[in-house]
């Protein structure tokens, strides 16, 4: 087994209201920053042992599907790296 860190980024799907992002975008624009769009996201870092990076990604994906994200309103990405 090898130690991996899986990073799961969960964000609302386009079209789903994101009040936190809307407020932040308005504030940034008032500060003079020009933005086309802004979305908020939650990032989860999971340290786990697995036989391979693919196995770690599969396990992290299952965690996202079952708890970390609501597939109806969220999209998520999984990235895996060997733990340092």
């Amino acid at each position: 087994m090898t130690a991996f860190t899986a990073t799961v980024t969960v964000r609302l799907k386009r079209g789903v209201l994101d009040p936190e992002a809307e407020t932040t975008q308005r504030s940034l624009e008032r500060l003079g920053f020009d933005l086309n769009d802004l979305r908020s996201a939650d990032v989860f870092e999971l340290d786990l042992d697995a036989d391979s990076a693919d196995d770690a990604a599969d396990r992290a994906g299952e965690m996202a599907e079952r708890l970390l994200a609501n597939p109806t309103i969220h999209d998520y990405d999984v990235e895996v790296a060997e733990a340092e």
Side-chain angles (χ1 to χ4, degrees):
M1 292 270 217
T2 304
F4 292 95
T5 298
T7 303
V8 180
T9 304
V10 179
R11 69 185 56 80
L12 291 168
K13 291 182 177 183
R14 290 197 183 273
V16 176
L17 292 178
D18 189 347
E20 179 182 10
E22 290 173 11
T23 300
T24 303
Q25 182 172 351
R26 281 194 305 271
S27 296
L28 287 168
E29 288 170 344
R30 277 195 295 273
L31 291 171
F33 295 99
D34 185 27
L35 299 172
N36 291 331
D37 196 16
L38 184 137
R39 288 171 305 286
S40 61
D42 292 320
V43 177
F44 300 92
E45 289 187 357
L46 311 167
D47 293 330
L48 51 103
D49 291 327
D51 292 328
S52 67
D54 287 339
D55 182 44
D58 289 345
R59 290 177 51 205
E62 183 178 355
M63 292 178 205
E65 288 283 332
R66 294 181 65 186
L67 180 69
L68 302 177
N70 176 344
T72 304
I73 61 169
H74 293 122
D75 287 325
Y76 66 88
D77 297 312
V78 176
E79 295 180 22
V80 175
E82 278 195 42
E84 297 177 4

